[in-house]
Amino acid sequence: MLNLLLIICFISYNLVEASPSGASIRPLSEQKEQVIQLFKQKKYAKACKQLEVVMPLLTRKLDRLEMQFLQAYCKFYIKQYEESSNLFHNFVEQNPAALKREEAVFMRGYSLSFKEMDVHLDQTVTHTAIDYLEAYIADYPSGCYLDKAMQALQTLQERLMKKSLHVAHIYFRLGLYRAAMVVLENFKRTYPASFLAEAVDRLWLESKQKLAKTA
């Protein structure tokens, strides 16, 4: 009997040690409250870690929604922007009538707008962020986050402008002057009032002159 009690105590001790702060044997309500308190204290990394324990235990849809929303914000604040956007997107797709739908629709694009993308790299993330933000504006033309959405869109469009000009410069350096001119002409049609208009016109003229010399 004594040996059996010792074995039970040993197993119980290891179960507590195996879970963060004994989370698996604490009431779920306490675990949820801990997440909320960590979030309020702006301890987002710790809240994310705790959410990894709590989320699989939730069976009620409303509980999962609440924690999923906090998890998306935690990812945003620790600068994991793509994960944050995905979580907000899933929230929107799974809960079309949720009270926080507008906020989630906005945040799925706003989160991505913070992800730094070198103009030398593929801009798929930038285009996705633009699509999401434009979807927000279309769904909520008088929405609470309209100003922030417009500001983020402007930043994203400027990133695409720089990318387009960068591509034109590559064609120019490679001696592909006609291709450079095509890119620059598309640029002027797409962004007629761009802050890069002068640089675009200058490169277009240089490309035209170089092309004339090679003709």
Side-chain angles (χ1 to χ4, degrees):
M1 182 65 72
L2 180 59
N3 288 338
L4 181 59
L5 288 172
L6 287 173
I7 291 171
I8 292 172
C9 289
F10 177 78
I11 293 172
S12 299
Y13 174 79
N14 279 281
L15 284 174
V16 173
E17 288 296 306
S19 58
S21 304
S24 65
I25 62 171
R26 288 186 299 138
L28 193 54
S29 58
E30 287 186 15
Q31 296 180 55
K32 285 177 53 188
E33 183 59 28
Q34 183 184 16
V35 171
I36 293 169
Q37 291 306 314
L38 287 170
F39 186 85
K40 288 180 178 179
Q41 295 165 14
K42 299 183 179 181
K43 298 178 180 178
Y44 303 117
K46 289 185 177 180
C48 273
K49 188 173 181 180
Q50 182 64 19
L51 278 162
E52 291 175 2
V53 177
V54 173
M55 290 292 286
L57 304 177
L58 300 174
T59 56
R60 294 179 65 246
K61 184 177 180 179
L62 289 178
D63 289 339
R64 290 191 62 81
L65 283 178
E66 181 185 13
M67 293 296 102
Q68 184 181 359
F69 204 77
L70 285 182
Q71 188 178 34
Y73 264 114
C74 285
K75 294 291 185 179
F76 175 76
Y77 288 125
I78 63 175
K79 300 183 179 181
Q80 294 181 3
Y81 300 121
E82 286 189 85
E83 290 186 47
S84 173
S85 177
N86 287 336
L87 286 167
F88 280 118
H89 178 71
N90 291 339
F91 184 94
V92 171
E93 292 297 305
Q94 295 167 12
N95 312 282
L99 291 176
K100 294 185 177 180
R101 185 182 187 277
E102 179 187 349
E103 188 174 353
V105 171
F106 166 70
M107 284 301 300
R108 68 178 178 178
Y110 193 64
S111 297
L112 279 188
S113 74
F114 279 82
K115 185 173 176 61
E116 294 183 8
M117 296 298 300
D118 193 309
V119 294
H120 298 81
L121 302 177
D122 178 78
Q123 297 297 311
T124 299
V125 169
T126 303
H127 286 289
T128 302
I130 289 172
D131 289 344
Y132 283 161
L133 288 168
E134 288 180 342
Y136 168 75
I137 293 170
D139 288 349
Y140 302 94
S142 301
C144 300
Y145 308 98
L146 188 60
D147 289 343
K148 285 187 175 181
M150 295 299 291
Q151 290 170 8
L153 275 173
Q154 182 176 347
T155 299
L156 293 165
Q157 293 289 358
E158 289 176 0
R159 187 187 298 169
L160 292 182
M161 292 178 203
K162 292 176 182 177
K163 173 67 176 182
S164 184
L165 184 57
H166 172 70
V167 170
H169 273 292
I170 290 176
Y171 284 139
F172 183 85
R173 289 196 295 270
L174 291 173
L176 301 172
Y177 306 118
R178 192 179 300 280
M181 291 174 68
V182 169
V183 171
L184 294 166
E185 287 163 3
N186 288 337
F187 182 105
K188 288 190 283 187
R189 281 194 294 271
T190 306
Y191 313 109
S194 170
F195 69 102
L196 294 171
E198 185 177 341
V200 168
D201 288 339
R202 184 168 56 250
L203 184 59
W204 185 89
L205 183 58
E206 290 177 10
S207 298
K208 184 178 181 181
Q209 292 170 344
K210 291 283 188 180
L211 183 61
K213 288 180 181 179
T214 60

